[in-house]
Amino acid sequence: MMRRLTAILLALSLLITLSGCSGGSVYSNLRETEELSVIDAIGLDRSEDGFTLSVASGTKVSQSADAKSIALARERLQELSPREQLFFAHAKFVAVGEKTAEESLTPVLDCVERSNDLRLNTPVIIIADDEAKTLLTKTEDSVSMLRSYERECEKRGDCRIFSASEIISSLDRYGFALASRVRLKFDDKGKVTAILPDGYSLIKDSRELAHIPSKEAACVELITNRAGPFFTELELGDAKAVLQLNESKCRLEDGVLKLELKASLYELEGSAKKEELERAYSEELKSRIEKLLELAERTDCDYLKLGGWVERLRVSSELKYGYDLEA
Amino acid sequence: MKQKSEERQLMALVFVASLAPAIRLMPDFCADKGGGLGFLAPLIALPVLIVYVCILSAFLSMRNEGEGLGELIVRLSGRGLGSAVLILGSAFLLFSCGFILRSGAERFVSTVYPTANELPFAIVMLVIGTLAALGKPEALLRSAKIFSSVLLFVLAVLLLFSLPDIKFDLIKPKESVDIGGLVLAAVPTAEIYSGIFAYAAVFETGGEKPPRRALRYSVFAAAVCLLLALLCLASIGSYGAPLVSRLSHPFFTLIRNITIFRTFEHIEALVVTMWVLPDFIIFALMLSAAIRFWGLVLPGSKLFENKRVGGLICAAVAAGAMLLIPGDADSLRRFSELIVPLANIAVVWVLFPLCFAVAAIKRRRSA
């Protein structure tokens, strides 16, 4: 009995020494929460010297550092924050400057893949015609803006934010991938006031090969059967209309890409017949899809995941009257 | 009733003990060799496992009350051959114990505690595992039964939250299916489970021989293979085979990315900590099997008369093996993918069947 008790006590005493919250812990991993600076967003840009790493943590922290490598830049950033330890495990976004995306995304994706603390499903966003540093350091609260943008994307359903793992696995498997692209809006003082969707970047061999504008990006979602209730503006002579997508179904059958749409009329200025609206809606989406197909052919990237040759495109739409027209 | 309960405990022991090597080796190895369809590897290994279970069950049907696999090997294949096999087997088991200590500590350090020293984790496991190995086997079996329920629950929750994220694009074969690669990917499942089935049989000493043992263990093996296939599917379907094969711990990376109802995230530390349980069970299982083998090789020896002295020597040898195994990720990968499996295959698929064959020949002659 005594021996058993001794064994249990010995085992328990060993467990106490392993406690992460204990100051007398046997390992050096103790981190007090109040001494951590929890990073919400990371920005990576190529610089003349190597890389610029920017970080943002709510409204509290917003800084950047240049170094020859991402790891060294991270160390420099830590030196700028001597009182608090930068904690990357909760990073929600990785922003990348367009120049970096044009040169190569490999260092950025490698950084996420090899990191012990960053998560593979962290969303990656490319900043159009600008640097990630601009977003993270010239914004009052870049993290709230990014979160709001993410929610907006989910709601609208015409653009997606791709995660690092989605980009890496697509590059591994197909040699190309899509990445979300945003454009920054500035006020007169040069401060970022909004993040606007700017379609997708087509990445091939880890480089940004082409830009798919927002309107066409919505059709990528249509073709991959992931589209949400996004709006489409139409012009029919003097009349202007806005339609909202209700349902869509896309399939490729014997070389014919068939897209069936159901939409509601959301706004109408002037007058237009139902058939005219349906035709204009079909034509508008058809022209956007044709551009996507042309890009897929030109770049030899089946980013629409059609897996087959498209000989003809057939878009049919059915319009339901919206409340605006009835009003 | 008692026999059924003992059998369930043995199955729980096999299940829990296998999780440490299976999770360490399988998702990345299966993805690397089998590509997108690598998740099928555990199911491909099932027929081989069933054959092994049948051979083992046939051999164990010859045992007397109080005899386990070790006693049976010595009695039926002769003192000389039996002792030689048990010495080689126990050498492998002690080396494996060292590897388990090293790899378990490395898992902690590389997934949760990046700046920590590996030694404290290894020493704690060595002490607790040795205490368990020196105790009664019944206690180990009962612990395994309790741990198996906890671990099954954790795995079920993980599958529930990771399987819906699978992208079927990533598992579809790109061109033709590489049958050779898939067969190679199935090797770890066959190797790990045949080994653990055999080492667990060391404790199968109950008086009554379970009827239809082979059938019941085959059904159990099928369930385990299905679970492993689902775990591999969750990893490969989420990240694709090339990425999974590059990750050191794909299973724990998958857990790191799981967010439960947008409320709980970063549960990897908890799950990695739970993987101490399989480490503990497999270490204690292998150490007790090694102690028992040495007791049979040196009958009447004072060292093994008192199990504790011999047990402590065996634990010291395991600790020595742990210190000799390099701790870097590359070396551990080489040990985990090549050295340990090859040694295990040599013991389980060459030495033990040799004893079974000799026993069968002797039996036929005497008949």
Side-chain angles (χ1 to χ4, degrees):
Chain A
M1 186 63 193
M2 198 57 202
R3 281 181 181 178
R4 192 174 290 176
L5 196 67
T6 316
I8 292 170
L9 286 174
L10 185 63
L12 286 177
S13 67
L14 284 168
L15 289 177
I16 291 166
T17 60
L18 281 180
S19 164
C21 299
S22 155
S25 177
V26 290
Y27 57 87
S28 55
N29 213 50
L30 175 68
R31 287 177 289 195
E32 297 292 350
T33 316
E34 60 271 20
E35 289 167 6
L36 293 180
S37 177
V38 180
I39 301 302
D40 291 314
I42 297 168
L44 278 160
D45 297 297
R46 286 254 181 200
S47 65
E48 280 179 17
D49 212 19
F51 288 93
T52 303
L53 176 65
S54 316
V55 292
S57 170
T59 49
K60 215 171 76 177
V61 178
S62 172
Q63 54 199 22
S64 65
D66 282 337
K68 282 189 177 170
S69 68
I70 298 171
L72 284 176
R74 191 172 160 164
E75 280 181 13
R76 291 236 172 116
L77 269 179
Q78 185 57 63
E79 286 163 15
L80 295 173
S81 172
R83 287 185 189 173
E84 291 176 325
Q85 191 187 349
L86 299 181
F87 188 69
F88 288 84
H90 283 276
K92 301 275 189 296
F93 300 96
V94 173
V96 184
E98 179 148 36
K99 197 179 141 203
T100 311
E102 280 170 356
E103 273 186 45
S104 173
L105 273 180
T106 305
V108 179
L109 298 174
D110 269 0
C111 169
V112 179
E113 189 182 317
R114 289 170 201 271
S115 168
N116 266 331
D117 36 22
L118 288 178
R119 299 202 289 187
L120 267 175
N121 60 353
T122 310
V124 176
I125 291 170
I126 293 172
I127 314 292
D129 303 325
D130 218 317
E131 292 186 327
K133 184 182 169 183
T134 315
L135 170 66
L136 299 187
T137 58
K138 290 188 180 174
T139 313
E140 288 285 329
D141 186 357
S142 55
V143 177
S144 298
M145 270 191 202
L146 282 165
R147 281 199 186 123
S148 157
Y149 174 73
E150 190 184 28
R151 281 195 296 272
E152 191 64 14
C153 283
E154 281 173 18
K155 207 171 79 182
R156 291 161 53 137
D158 59 348
C159 52
R160 286 175 66 209
I161 304 183
F162 295 88
S163 68
S165 65
E166 282 176 300
I167 298 172
I168 296 169
S169 52
S170 182
L171 285 172
D172 279 341
R173 191 170 172 86
Y174 307 108
F176 58 81
L178 290 177
S180 347
R181 203 176 131 106
V182 297
R183 188 169 290 281
L184 305 179
K185 192 180 170 188
F186 298 89
D187 64 9
D188 300 339
K189 292 172 190 163
K191 282 260 174 200
V192 178
T193 54
I195 298 172
L196 307 171
D198 193 39
Y200 295 147
S201 289
L202 178 60
I203 312 290
K204 193 176 183 186
D205 299 328
S206 293
R207 286 179 190 161
E208 188 185 43
L209 182 71
H211 168 220
I212 300 170
S214 286
K215 282 184 175 181
E216 277 96 66
C219 291
V220 174
E221 298 306 294
L222 271 181
I223 293 173
T224 49
N225 287 311
R226 279 189 302 235
F230 68 86
F231 295 111
T232 307
E233 287 176 24
L234 300 173
E235 284 192 20
L236 303 99
D238 296 337
K240 279 184 186 170
V242 177
L243 301 190
Q244 185 176 29
L245 181 74
N246 294 136
E247 261 180 72
S248 68
K249 202 161 83 181
C250 181
R251 62 187 186 277
L252 182 65
E253 276 176 17
D254 304 325
V256 183
L257 182 66
K258 292 178 181 171
L259 184 65
E260 290 166 19
L261 307 162
K262 283 183 183 173
S264 310
L265 181 64
Y266 200 81
E267 280 177 44
L268 180 65
E269 210 180 309
S271 66
K273 286 181 183 172
K274 185 186 172 195
E275 293 75 25
E276 285 174 338
L277 285 168
E278 281 176 348
R279 200 180 314 120
Y281 191 48
S282 299
E283 287 304 317
E284 169 66 24
L285 294 181
K286 198 173 170 182
S287 76
R288 292 186 196 178
I289 293 170
E290 273 165 356
K291 284 179 191 163
L292 290 176
L293 293 172
E294 189 269 323
L295 178 68
E297 197 184 331
R298 182 161 46 87
T299 56
D300 194 23
C301 297
D302 181 23
Y303 62 91
L304 298 168
K305 306 275 169 71
L306 293 171
W309 187 251
V310 178
E311 285 170 11
R312 273 189 303 140
L313 173 64
R314 191 185 298 160
V315 181
S316 60
S317 63
E318 185 189 319
L319 191 63
K320 290 178 179 175
Y321 282 82
Y323 63 90
D324 273 338
L325 191 71
E326 284 166 358
Chain B
M1 194 68 186
K2 195 188 165 196
Q3 171 211 322
K4 247 189 176 177
S5 151
E6 191 189 80
E7 194 178 66
R8 277 186 196 154
Q9 287 179 347
L10 273 166
M11 285 178 181
L13 182 78
V14 171
F15 172 66
V16 177
S18 66
L19 284 180
I23 293 299
R24 171 167 190 90
L25 188 57
M26 283 183 52
D28 44 337
F29 191 85
C30 291
D32 190 26
K33 306 296 175 202
L37 289 178
F39 72 94
L40 293 173
L43 298 173
I44 293 169
L46 183 59
V48 181
L49 270 179
I50 290 175
V51 168
Y52 195 80
V53 162
C54 292
I55 296 171
L56 190 65
S57 299
F59 189 62
L60 287 170
S61 68
M62 293 186 255
R63 71 185 175 82
N64 297 325
E65 189 175 351
E67 279 186 338
L69 184 71
E71 289 84 354
L72 204 56
I73 285 176
V74 174
R75 180 167 64 82
L76 293 181
S77 57
R79 179 97 226 136
L81 177 66
S83 298
V85 166
L86 293 189
I87 288 171
L88 290 172
S90 62
F92 165 71
L93 288 170
L94 293 178
F95 167 70
S96 272
C97 284
F99 177 72
I100 292 160
L101 292 175
R102 175 64 82 188
S103 62
E106 186 269 343
R107 186 176 58 235
F108 256 116
V109 171
S110 63
T111 52
V112 190
Y113 305 111
T115 54
N117 185 347
E118 286 178 8
L119 267 183
F121 299 105
I123 290 169
V124 170
M125 185 52 71
L126 175 69
V127 172
I128 298 178
T130 306
L131 285 175
L134 293 179
K136 287 183 182 167
E138 290 80 9
L140 188 63
L141 290 169
R142 278 199 298 273
S143 318
K145 186 83 182 71
I146 296 165
F147 297 161
S148 68
S149 316
V150 176
L151 290 165
L152 256 179
F153 173 74
V154 172
L155 290 175
V157 170
L158 295 177
L159 284 176
L160 186 73
F161 285 95
S162 53
L163 284 177
D165 289 336
I166 284 178
K167 293 159 202 87
F168 287 94
D169 270 8
L170 299 177
I171 55 172
K172 275 192 287 190
K174 223 173 158 185
E175 288 152 6
S176 59
V177 179
D178 176 12
I179 303 286
L182 273 178
V183 171
L184 191 58
V187 171
T189 315
E191 171 261 316
I192 291 167
Y193 281 89
S194 53
I196 294 177
F197 276 133
Y199 305 132
V202 170
F203 301 101
E204 203 169 323
T205 53
E208 294 170 51
K209 288 172 204 165
R212 292 188 293 171
R213 183 191 186 277
L215 176 68
R216 281 212 288 274
Y217 271 88
S218 299
V219 171
F220 167 73
V224 170
C225 286
L226 184 64
L227 178 70
L228 291 174
L230 287 174
L231 289 173
C232 290
L233 175 66
S235 299
I236 298 171
S238 298
Y239 304 131
L243 179 54
V244 169
S245 64
R246 290 199 298 269
L247 296 170
S248 304
H249 297 281
F251 177 69
F252 296 108
T253 306
L254 180 77
I255 293 164
R256 189 160 60 181
N257 289 345
I258 288 178
T259 301
I260 300 174
F261 302 128
R262 294 196 177 190
T263 310
F264 300 106
E265 55 181 21
H266 281 290
I267 54 170
E268 70 273 14
L270 188 67
V271 179
V272 170
T273 309
M274 293 194 91
W275 246 248
V276 164
L277 305 177
D279 276 347
F280 162 70
I281 292 290
I282 192 172
F283 177 81
L285 163 72
M286 291 193 150
L287 188 60
S288 351
I291 296 168
R292 203 174 261 232
F293 282 180
W294 277 110
L296 291 167
V297 171
L298 305 168
S301 155
K302 281 184 181 173
L303 283 177
F304 288 90
E305 212 169 75
N306 179 358
K307 189 181 167 188
R308 282 187 188 144
V309 180
L312 288 173
I313 294 171
C314 286
V317 173
M322 185 261 290
L323 293 173
L324 289 175
I325 294 170
D328 61 289
D330 265 357
S331 305
L332 282 176
R333 201 168 188 146
R334 200 168 54 247
F335 271 89
S336 153
E337 287 183 359
L338 200 69
I339 298 170
V340 176
L342 282 179
N344 190 30
I345 288 169
V347 172
V348 177
W349 282 92
V350 179
L351 295 179
F352 287 175
L354 179 71
C355 294
F356 304 164
V358 170
I361 292 165
K362 278 187 177 175
R363 206 181 189 197
R364 195 173 290 172
R365 275 188 191 163
S366 66

